[in-house]
Structures are given as structure tokens and as C-alpha cells.
Amino acid sequence: MVVYIAKRILLMIPTLFGVMLVTFVVTQFVPGGPVEKLIAEMEGHGKGGEDATVMTSSLYRGGSGLDQERVARLKELYGFDKPPAERFFTMMKNYLVFDFGTSYYYHKSVVDLVVSRMPVSMSLGLWSFVIVYGICIPLGIAKAVRDGSRFDVISSTAILIGYAIPGFVLGIALIVLFGGGSFWDIFPLRGLVSDNWVEMGVGMKIVDYLWHMVLPITASAVGSLAVMTMLTKNSFLEEIRKQYVLTARAKGLSEGQVLYKHIFRNAIIPIITGFPGYFIASFFTGSLLIETIFSLDGMGLLAYQSVLNRDYPVVLGTLYFFTLIGLIARLLSDLSYVLVDPRISFRHVDN
């Protein structure tokens, strides 16, 4: 096991390096880089980032545009005066100590910028995770035990309808119905908390936070219910039809003992193996459409704006971090096989 884990960790290094190299190369060929974008905005009297015009006002002189000397100074300002290979290896060296630099657009540390957006993404992801696993596993087991019954047909129809409705469409419908759009004004439409949240007591703060989360969590979680529910149902159905289940029943065991002492251990493996990855991803991923609809300033919106603004420190820094998290989550998913089923071993892999 230790040798297997060590091998997997060593394999993460070239994988991470390859992902970053490909992305870095692609950014070099994307038209309208940060320097070109800033020059166009300055010559068109537009505005760059929050403080871009203040930082570079001395480089621009009215309608005469920018000469080569000032363009060179802009490239030096953003570090583009160095060869691409040197910039890449310098970047990777800094990333090893989680130094992601400063955003071109927001002029803030990338780490501080990501940390400021994390509460939104963590709220959406964590609550969606709890709801999906908390509902889908019991529901999937119930559907497998009652396969073909009226309960199975009705519940399948309901969750498939929810799966067919895109999350952003459901979000808009919820706003229209319950956000004061055309019917009931029940739930708030923006932010994680109310403006006077600081003045509230502890109990009211919790209620206010949960009240703000109802609509976005519903919109983001409903689409995931069908996949996990049907995966759970099919996994349990496959085990229920196996010979050892008939043997267990023939020995006089109750249906509860057969289900939870024999079937459960084998059927839960496909569900549990995806648990670590989904759990870790729930803390860091964001949903652009859900965040936009409900005016939530999270990671999805940050990633979208960073790509549009060619904010490469944010794009590459978050990619490095999330890729690393994804590789660790994949390793944990593989190790969860052993925790769930002791019969599985990585000894042959170690050799």
C-alpha cells in the first residue's frame, strides 16, 4: 500500500507539469493578451482593472498612442519582457511554494482573491453534496427494494424530469415563483446573507444564511439527484439478484440483515469510490450560471471573468491548485476501495 501511494504521488508530478505546460502554451497563442488588452483600452480611453489606469497613466500621452519604449515598459510591468520558457519555469518554481502572484485585473494577491470567493463556492458545493448523498443513497436503496412498484415509477419520473431541466432554467423559475418575480416573495435573491447580518444574533444569522441558500442550492442540486439515485439503485439491484443473496435468505436471515449486512457492503462500492472526489470538489468548484442568476460572487464567476480579462495569474494559479486537488481526490477515491472492501488489495500493483 505504501509503495502504491508513493508511485501515485510521483506520477502526479509529470501529470501536473503537463497540464500546466499545455495551458501555458495555449495562453501564448491566444490573441489579445493582457498587454495588448491594456494598450487597446488606454488608446480607446477605456478602463482596465480596478486600478489599471492609475498604474499606467504615466505611460499614455493623449491621442498619440504608445511608442515602442512605452510598450516595452508595459511588457516589463507584466513580466512579458522575458522568454516564454524562462517565464514558465519561474512560474512553476513559485507555484511549488503556492506563490501564485498578483492578479493583472484586480491587482490583488491571487491567494487573497480566491480566499475571498471561497465562501460562496463552499456554501453551494458543500450543501449540494450533503443533499445529494443524503437523499440519493436512501432513495436509491428504496427504489431497488421496490423495483417496478408504483413508488419506483413515480420517483423515477420525478427525478428524471428534474434531471432534464437545466440548473439555470430551474433557477430562473424559482426566482419567478418564490423570489418576488410574479408570484410569491418568499426568498432573497442575492448574496449569502442580508445587509444587516452583522447586527443579528447567532440564531438569526444561521437562519438568515440558510434562507439565502434555499433557492441556489435547490437549483444546483436537483440535476445531480437522478445520476446518483439511479447509480445507487442499479448497484443494489445487481447485488440483490446474485446467488449469495438467495443463500443468505435460505439460511433464514431477515430482509434487513440480508440488505445491510451482505448486499450493502458490495453495492455501496461504486458510490463510495466517488465520494472523496465529489466531497473535495464541492469545496472549490463554482457554477457560473447559478452564481450569475443569484448574484453570488464565487469561483465560477471569478474563473469566467479571469479568462475574459486575460488575467493569467488567476487562470494559471487556480488551474494549478485545482488540478493538484483533483489528483489527490483521485488517489483518495482509489484508496477508498480498500476501506470499503478489505478483499481489494494493491499488493500486485506494488510488485
Side-chain angles (χ1 to χ4, degrees):
M1 175 69 73
V2 175
V3 176
Y4 174 78
I5 295 174
K7 288 180 178 179
R8 287 293 300 271
I9 293 175
L10 290 175
L11 285 174
M12 291 181 187
I13 298 174
T15 303
L16 185 59
F17 185 87
V19 170
M20 297 305 301
L21 178 60
V22 170
T23 307
F24 182 84
V25 171
V26 169
T27 60
Q28 304 307 301
F29 294 97
V30 175
V35 174
E36 292 80 5
K37 189 173 186 298
L38 182 58
I39 291 174
E41 289 169 348
M42 292 170 63
E43 292 181 344
H45 302 284
K47 292 184 178 179
E50 296 175 351
D51 302 313
T53 54
V54 176
M55 291 180 60
T56 60
S57 60
S58 62
L59 300 177
Y60 182 69
R61 296 293 182 271
S64 60
L66 294 173
D67 56 31
Q68 292 301 315
E69 180 183 353
R70 295 191 180 103
V71 171
R73 290 174 62 187
L74 273 179
K75 290 183 178 180
E76 182 180 0
L77 177 68
Y78 286 107
F80 284 90
D81 57 324
K82 300 176 181 178
E86 182 181 348
R87 286 190 283 115
F88 174 75
F89 284 105
T90 300
M91 178 189 74
M92 292 302 296
K93 180 181 177 181
N94 293 333
Y95 283 6
L96 289 176
V97 293
F98 297 98
D99 179 8
F100 300 128
T102 303
S103 166
Y104 294 156
Y105 186 75
Y106 297 95
H107 302 287
K108 298 178 180 178
S109 167
V110 174
V111 174
D112 294 340
L113 197 59
V114 170
V115 169
S116 67
R117 305 294 184 96
M118 287 297 294
V120 170
S121 298
M122 289 179 65
S123 294
L124 288 174
L126 186 58
W127 284 113
S128 297
F129 170 83
V130 171
I131 290 173
V132 168
Y133 271 87
I135 292 177
C136 292
I137 293 179
L139 179 60
I141 295 174
K143 286 172 63 62
V145 173
R146 300 172 178 82
D147 182 43
S149 66
R150 180 178 297 180
F151 167 78
D152 182 37
V153 173
I154 294 176
S155 59
S156 295
T157 303
I159 63 174
L160 289 176
I161 291 175
Y163 179 73
I165 301 175
F168 70 93
V169 174
L170 179 60
I172 294 173
L174 291 174
I175 289 176
V176 173
L177 289 174
F178 303 109
S182 300
F183 295 90
W184 301 282
D185 187 5
I186 300 176
F187 297 101
L189 299 181
R190 58 181 299 124
L192 289 178
V193 293
S194 300
D195 295 335
N196 62 335
W197 189 78
V198 179
E199 303 172 1
M200 298 179 182
V202 176
M204 287 302 299
K205 285 182 177 180
I206 296 174
V207 172
D208 182 73
Y209 165 74
L210 295 176
W211 205 241
H212 278 75
M213 285 287 97
V214 171
L215 296 187
I217 293 302
T218 302
S220 62
V222 166
S224 303
L225 294 177
V227 176
M228 187 60 63
T229 300
M230 299 310 295
L231 175 63
T232 304
K233 175 190 173 182
N234 293 334
S235 180
F236 273 79
L237 271 180
E238 183 180 355
E239 295 298 323
I240 288 173
R241 294 165 179 168
K242 289 185 176 179
Q243 185 64 39
Y244 74 88
V245 176
L246 297 176
T247 303
R249 287 171 176 165
K251 290 181 178 180
L253 297 179
S254 66
E255 286 299 316
Q257 290 176 317
V258 173
L259 180 63
Y260 292 105
K261 288 188 177 181
H262 295 273
I263 297 175
F264 188 85
R265 174 183 293 182
N266 297 319
I268 203 67
I269 292 177
I271 295 94
I272 291 298
T273 52
F275 185 95
Y278 191 77
F279 180 75
I280 293 177
S282 67
F283 283 92
F284 303 106
T285 55
S287 174
L288 171 62
L289 294 176
I290 297 298
E291 290 173 11
T292 302
I293 291 171
F294 293 98
S295 300
L296 298 171
D297 206 5
M299 290 299 302
L301 197 57
L302 175 63
Y304 175 71
Q305 292 172 341
S306 299
V307 172
L308 287 184
N309 294 310
R310 305 294 190 266
D311 197 351
Y312 294 151
V314 177
V315 174
L316 295 171
T318 53
L319 176 67
Y320 175 88
F321 181 69
F322 294 152
T323 302
L324 180 61
I325 292 295
L327 292 172
I328 294 174
R330 177 63 62 182
L331 174 59
L332 293 176
S333 295
D334 292 342
L335 295 179
S336 64
Y337 275 104
V338 179
L339 297 178
V340 175
D341 190 349
R343 296 172 299 176
I344 299 175
S345 175
F346 292 116
R347 290 179 181 177
H348 67 285
V349 180
D350 295 344
N351 298 328

